[in-house]
Amino acid sequence: MSSPWLRRLIHVGLRQQTLRGLGSLAEVIAHAAGMSGVVLWEEAKENETPPLTVFAAWMRDGPYGHAGFIPKPDALTLNAQHGRTLALPSGSATYLMTGTACHRRVAAALPIDWADRRRGVMTLLGDSQLADDAFDVLTELIDVLPNLCSVVRERHALALVATCGSILHEADVASPSEPLSSDRLSVFLGDICQAIADGLQLLNVSLFLQKPTDPQDFYPLFAHSRPTDPVSGSSNRDDALMIVPLTSGTRKWGRIECAGAYGPPFHFTASDLALLTPLGAQISQYWSHWLHRRETLNENLSWRNLASGITILNKQIHDELGQRRPVDEPVYQAAFRVIREVVPGCCGADIRSAANGTAGDVVSSSHGPCADPDAASLIAAVVSGTDQKDGRDTHGEPTEFLTATGKEGWLVRKPIRVSSTVYGILGATGERGLIPSNSNQVCEVIADQLGLYHHLRGTLSDLRKARQEVEQTLRSQADALEDLEHQLVSPLLGATARTERVLRSGRFDSRTEMQLRAVRGLCRRASRVALSAGVFSALSRGESPSSRLDFLGADDLLRLVIANADDVQLLINPRREIRIDVDRASLRALGRKLVLADNSFLEQCIGNLFDNATKYSYDGTTIEIRGVSANDAFILQVCSTGIPLEPENIERCTQRNWRGRAARTATGEGSGLGLWIVDNLMRSMKGRLEIIAHGHATIVGLSIPYATGSRG
Amino acid sequence: MAQNPYILVVEDDHLQEGPLVDQINDAFPNGRVESIYTEHEFREQLRELHRETPDLVIMDVMLRWADPRPGNTEPPEEVTREGFYRAGLRCAELIAADDKLRAVPVILYTILEKDDLERQGKPLPANVTYVRKSTDLDVLLRKVQEFAQYT
């Protein structure tokens, strides 16, 4: 007889997914016992009245109770609870109030021990007595009922957790790269509230969550379930409220508030609270994770804003440093803007002087100076260098303080300095209780930038002064060189002319003539060097040499070349056995054509090329001078064999003070000015300097433009 | 110094070296004057001077390292670092550091100021006498004759 009821009870129990399933279990028991109703009670909390609360119930002739009605256990039920034995009516009948104006006769009450070790009672309702065989069946069913109820509850809890997990997963999928906005998250949390409301048959479930910035404050209503109009009735009870704390470890994240139960047992039991606890943990975990993600996002955003802000600040610094007289105020205001935009809640910033005697004076501010009672002591510490120990600040950490208006605020101060030089103190303040986590670093970075600005400003100022002094010195030197040129050239030209005249007018023995020609060569060489000094001074002042172009024919060029070649040959050390060979025929090939050149400049150019050729030629070689007719110019080429010039260095030959490595290490002498001067002189004559190098052979050419007109 | 001294002239500008040698020859007709033109050449002949030690060295300061030749050897690191502006000074220091040559008097004959030569706070070697170059060679010759008189 009993086995089918037991199988049925187990079968029904294992099919249940919701708490309504507990009522189905009660129904099976009622049928098995031949009763019209069954009420399952569980022990109330200590000192609570009534001592028993309805856990589940089933009535054949209609729903049990109604919303807002809390049934109290009848005497028979209380007897069973206290006596822990079967209680049967004796004498007058016992009734259980199942509604405001509804009562049912109690047939029997049996003690029951629930799986969580709490004690309870099963009350059987019906007009007939409990039969013996029915009692046997009940005894068998009561054995498994607690565990079956636990299974139903656990499955219900798991189903709720799974539903919530699924909703939260959807929330994650909806925005995988960054946390959801508060509004969108509210929608998902509202779905969770609705799932709880559906599962527990509630009209209203609300979720309160802690504000991220203030652990003492909560969002008043972050999410709640939608209003429900259940078929089974509507709740009108205000006192039926269950609060489930949202906790994770010792941290409290918020709470779930449940109200308006519209299904049996129409009130909340300790089991309901236990059922929602894992759900609360799940929501707590998600919330803390969301807060963390949002904090990380805000932090990343903060650093991105800082980076772009510093770019703008540096642009401002760059613009100011480009001015002859940089102004600090635009730079300071740009720095303040960065701080206000990057540090949450920052409402003001200032810069105070750290100069001795004026320490603490506000030199610039945004939205008024920061109130700071300890500014003076920090400035004194910074100026004296006692604010750092082992390279770390001992002052200037963000602090909380009361503003002049009595509000709670925070303040950060950072020294503006480079190395041991202190330029000022940067301060930032806000009127919120919680110090923004990035305030310290942001102010430190901005203060460092301002320190660099002041350092650069000072350095640039020094450099400008030094440059002015150098330019002044260079101008003086150039003037002195020019003066020297004038003083030198005149006597040297006179000496050259007189020597020439002596050579032409008299007859001398060969040794004397050789000495005189050498003297003439030395005078001409010295004149050329003096003239080059004049060109050098003009170029040093940034001026271009001013040429006086003349028409020159083949004879003129030949005379210039031979005179210079003669001088070089005479002045070169005979032991080196270097020969100068002028290809006269190639020079005469100019024919009747004329070139346009400044005679003096051309002489300097030819002389410089000969000097270079003799300086870098190998002993025993020949320096060949020849003329080459090109389309638009006549080219005087000096061909020599000596220290090789690397082809990749040809363009650098005409740079001021540049000297090839081979030349530098082989002879050690030379200034690197010769070809630079020649190049400038040729340009001033619309000609150009051409250099060809191949191995040990070097050809340096002076390309002199043809004249389009004729000699006047 | 004997009346037929052996004088070594270290000068890379033959336009100055020629008249100088002529003047010394005129002053010491029985003497012998030899010329060295580069620092490299001087370093090469340093050991040769052990065999026949000069009575006096007249040393220019700004000397070229070497005449250009195919396959010239790289100069020592100190030459590259200091350049040709201190070449004569390096040669004088080589003499001062040589046990067999350190007694040989050296006249630094240069257009550089003495302060320039001692600019790194390093005094000139004990055997060195400074004479500034001028158009009047007699100044140098008088100094040479002083050495001839007291040695």
Side-chain angles (χ1 to χ4, degrees):
Chain A
M1 283 285 289
S2 61
S3 290
W5 287 113
L6 181 61
R7 282 201 299 276
R8 186 172 171 188
L9 184 71
I10 293 171
H11 182 70
V12 168
L14 293 180
R15 274 191 319 184
Q16 303 309 313
Q17 292 283 354
T18 68
L19 290 182
R20 290 191 186 94
L22 295 173
S24 301
L25 293 177
E27 182 184 358
V28 172
I29 292 169
H31 288 310
M35 293 291 149
S36 60
V38 167
V39 178
L40 299 173
W41 304 85
E42 65 179 358
E43 193 174 33
K45 287 180 186 172
E46 200 173 352
N47 299 328
E48 271 191 6
T49 51
L52 291 170
T53 59
V54 175
F55 169 55
W58 178 82
M59 305 287 163
R60 181 188 297 157
D61 52 354
Y64 157 77
H66 55 80
F69 178 79
I70 298 179
K72 293 178 181 172
D74 57 280
L76 214 56
T77 301
L78 288 172
N79 284 342
Q81 169 71 0
H82 293 137
R84 305 311 295 163
T85 182
L86 172 66
L88 294 170
S90 58
S92 58
T94 304
Y95 293 92
L96 173 69
M97 297 295 290
T98 56
T100 310
C102 180
H103 58 270
R104 288 181 171 85
R105 184 173 178 172
V106 178
L110 289 86
I112 186 167
D113 292 323
W114 297 110
D116 58 2
R117 296 185 181 177
R118 276 188 295 169
R119 298 190 300 182
V121 175
M122 176 194 289
T123 303
L124 302 169
L125 305 175
D127 294 330
S128 56
Q129 289 186 345
L130 179 66
D132 289 344
D133 56 343
F135 178 76
D136 294 341
V137 171
L138 282 176
T139 306
E140 193 175 35
L141 296 184
I142 279 177
D143 276 349
V144 298
L145 183 64
N147 286 332
L148 268 180
C149 286
S150 291
V151 167
V152 170
R153 298 182 72 87
E154 282 166 9
R155 290 184 69 181
H156 179 56
L158 285 174
L160 254 184
V161 168
T163 303
C164 291
S166 171
I167 292 169
L168 294 175
H169 177 68
E170 275 179 43
D172 278 339
V173 170
S175 181
S177 57
E178 57 185 46
L180 284 169
S181 67
S182 302
D183 290 343
R184 290 189 69 196
L185 182 60
S186 285
V187 174
F188 285 101
L189 294 178
D191 290 345
I192 289 177
C193 291
Q194 190 60 51
I196 296 170
D198 292 346
L200 294 179
Q201 303 181 82
L202 303 172
L203 281 179
N204 198 353
V205 176
S206 303
L207 197 53
F208 295 83
L209 292 166
Q210 175 198 310
K211 276 187 179 177
T213 52
D214 190 350
Q216 300 307 315
D217 199 1
F218 288 81
Y219 283 118
L221 180 63
F222 194 84
H224 61 91
S225 62
R226 291 178 289 278
T228 311
D229 183 22
V231 179
S232 55
S234 61
S235 171
N236 57 4
R237 289 187 46 171
D238 294 332
D239 56 339
L241 184 71
M242 178 171 66
I243 294 177
V244 181
L246 301 181
T247 55
S248 165
T250 56
R251 181 76 189 267
K252 196 172 176 183
W253 295 100
R255 63 180 183 268
I256 303 171
E257 285 188 5
C258 302
Y262 58 80
F266 300 102
H267 64 275
F268 298 106
T269 66
S271 301
D272 294 330
L273 192 62
L275 190 141
L276 286 182
T277 301
L279 197 61
Q282 195 179 14
I283 295 172
S284 298
Q285 191 179 8
Y286 186 87
W287 178 242
S288 68
H289 180 58
W290 184 84
L291 289 176
H292 178 69
R293 285 183 73 191
R294 212 171 72 149
E295 191 179 338
T296 306
L297 178 76
N298 288 339
E299 199 168 316
N300 288 341
L301 196 64
S302 154
W303 287 117
R304 276 203 296 272
N305 287 342
L306 179 62
S308 64
I310 284 179
T311 303
I312 295 168
L313 173 62
N314 285 345
K315 169 80 170 52
Q316 186 70 49
I317 288 174
H318 175 266
D319 290 349
E320 284 305 322
L321 290 178
Q323 303 292 323
R324 194 159 194 80
R325 294 180 190 282
V327 181
D328 295 338
E329 189 58 22
V331 174
Y332 290 160
Q333 290 301 330
F336 296 154
R337 274 195 297 278
V338 177
I339 295 172
R340 285 204 316 274
E341 285 169 10
V342 176
V343 178
C346 175
C347 59
D350 70 11
I351 288 172
R352 290 174 190 247
S353 161
N356 288 333
T358 59
D361 289 356
V362 175
V363 294
S364 178
S365 69
S366 158
H367 298 76
C370 306
D372 182 5
D374 297 325
S377 65
L378 171 61
I379 290 165
V382 169
V383 171
S384 64
T386 56
D387 67 314
Q388 283 195 325
K389 188 177 181 185
D390 301 329
R392 301 186 63 178
D393 286 350
T394 56
H395 286 68
E397 290 297 317
T399 52
E400 293 177 12
F401 77 117
L402 283 178
T403 64
T405 56
K407 292 180 183 173
E408 281 189 354
W410 52 266
L411 174 77
V412 181
R413 286 220 173 273
K414 290 290 165 189
I416 299 168
R417 69 175 153 204
V418 171
S419 190
S420 60
T421 307
V422 182
Y423 299 99
I425 305 287
L426 170 70
T429 186
E431 286 190 345
R432 281 166 49 176
L434 201 66
I435 300 170
S437 59
N438 65 354
S439 58
N440 197 32
Q441 286 83 3
V442 169
C443 289
E444 193 166 321
V445 169
I446 297 297
D448 286 348
Q449 290 296 110
L450 292 175
L452 280 175
Y453 159 69
H454 281 286
H455 182 69
L456 280 172
R457 190 188 149 163
T459 306
L460 277 175
S461 173
D462 292 345
L463 281 174
R464 284 197 183 102
K465 280 181 196 162
R467 183 179 171 176
Q468 282 173 356
E469 286 172 11
V470 168
E471 283 175 350
Q472 182 60 41
T473 306
L474 281 176
R475 270 197 297 275
S476 303
Q477 287 178 347
D479 291 346
L481 264 179
E482 197 170 14
D483 184 52
L484 205 61
E485 177 208 358
H486 287 306
Q487 290 189 45
L488 272 173
V489 167
S490 179
L492 285 169
L493 290 179
T496 308
R498 284 166 189 269
T499 312
E500 185 73 39
R501 198 167 169 185
V502 170
L503 275 168
R504 286 183 184 174
S505 63
R507 297 179 67 84
F508 307 98
D509 60 84
S510 61
R511 190 159 184 260
T512 307
E513 185 179 340
M514 191 66 76
Q515 292 286 1
L516 281 170
R517 285 172 61 194
V519 169
R520 182 186 61 186
L522 285 169
C523 289
R524 279 206 287 238
R525 187 179 183 182
S527 303
R528 183 163 48 74
V529 172
L531 286 168
S532 290
V535 174
F536 174 78
S537 76
L539 291 172
S540 297
R541 280 197 297 256
E543 299 167 2
S544 295
S546 178
S547 59
R548 293 172 60 185
L549 300 180
D550 287 323
F551 292 100
L552 301 180
D555 289 344
D556 300 314
L557 290 182
L558 202 54
R559 196 163 43 248
L560 265 177
V561 169
I562 287 174
N564 273 283
D566 194 31
D567 289 348
V568 169
Q569 189 69 77
L570 275 169
L571 301 179
I572 204 166
N573 193 336
R575 78 187 180 93
R576 294 191 62 197
E577 297 176 340
I578 292 174
R579 217 165 61 82
I580 312 288
D581 183 17
V582 179
D583 183 354
R584 296 168 190 238
S586 67
L587 288 170
R588 288 199 184 96
L590 179 61
R592 291 177 171 277
K593 283 185 180 173
L594 298 172
V595 292
L596 263 182
D598 181 309
N599 194 67
S600 168
F601 282 9
L602 196 56
E603 189 177 1
Q604 286 184 62
C605 292
I606 293 169
N608 272 335
L609 295 195
F610 285 4
D611 279 352
N612 272 356
T614 53
K615 199 182 292 175
Y616 300 123
S617 284
Y618 294 145
D619 292 356
T621 58
T622 298
I623 298 169
E624 188 184 343
I625 296 105
R626 63 186 179 215
V628 176
S629 295
N631 286 337
D632 56 348
F634 189 73
I635 305 166
L636 272 178
Q637 287 186 337
V638 179
C639 315
S640 60
T641 305
I643 294 172
L645 172 64
E646 294 85 358
E648 63 269 22
N649 285 331
I650 285 178
E651 284 190 12
R652 302 181 66 193
C653 281
T654 53
Q655 290 175 5
R656 180 175 172 167
N657 293 120
W658 183 85
R659 299 184 62 227
R661 183 180 172 278
R664 207 167 51 238
T665 55
T667 69
E669 61 181 347
S671 60
L673 292 174
L675 288 180
W676 174 64
I677 290 175
V678 171
D679 185 49
N680 277 283
L681 289 176
M682 291 306 295
R683 286 171 192 272
S684 75
M685 295 186 288
K686 310 284 188 212
R688 63 179 182 273
L689 176 67
E690 297 173 348
I691 302 170
I692 302 165
H694 183 71
H696 296 271
T698 304
I699 300 172
V700 185
L702 301 175
S703 178
I704 313 163
Y706 292 125
T708 50
S710 59
R711 264 192 247 255
Chain B
M1 194 188 297
Q3 287 303 305
N4 50 353
Y6 166 31
I7 297 174
L8 187 63
V9 174
V10 186
E11 170 64 76
D12 64 344
D13 184 356
H14 84 284
L15 297 173
Q16 295 181 54
E17 177 260 344
L20 175 61
V21 169
D22 288 349
Q23 291 267 30
I24 296 171
N25 278 331
D26 289 348
F28 301 96
N30 299 322
R32 183 159 67 92
V33 183
E34 287 191 0
S35 297
I36 289 178
Y37 298 95
T38 66
E39 183 179 358
H40 182 247
E41 198 178 339
F42 175 83
R43 286 173 183 250
E44 279 191 336
Q45 293 198 11
L46 199 58
R47 190 162 289 279
E48 195 68 21
L49 299 180
H50 288 180
R51 196 169 50 79
E52 190 179 6
T53 308
D55 296 301
L56 176 67
V57 177
I58 299 172
M59 179 85 71
D60 183 21
V61 172
M62 289 196 286
L63 291 171
R64 55 167 34 193
W65 164 248
D67 286 332
R69 287 193 183 86
N72 265 358
T73 53
E74 287 275 315
E77 190 270 333
E78 59 171 344
V79 176
T80 308
R81 189 180 64 247
E82 295 174 351
F84 86 119
Y85 293 97
R86 300 182 73 79
L89 207 54
R90 284 194 295 272
C91 294
E93 283 166 352
L94 286 174
I95 292 173
D98 192 309
D99 288 342
K100 292 187 177 174
L101 299 175
R102 65 174 43 154
V104 176
V106 176
I107 294 176
L108 275 184
Y109 188 52
T110 176
I111 58 166
L112 297 176
E113 296 290 342
K114 192 179 181 195
D115 286 350
D116 290 337
L117 300 176
E118 296 176 327
R119 63 186 165 191
Q120 288 170 337
K122 194 173 169 186
L124 296 176
N127 60 329
V128 168
T129 302
Y130 168 82
V131 177
R132 199 175 197 287
K133 268 185 185 176
S134 75
T135 51
D136 185 2
L137 275 175
D138 289 345
V139 176
L140 174 65
L141 284 175
R142 276 200 295 276
K143 190 59 76 177
V144 173
Q145 279 164 342
E146 276 177 29
F147 278 109
Q149 199 172 349
Y150 294 110
T151 56

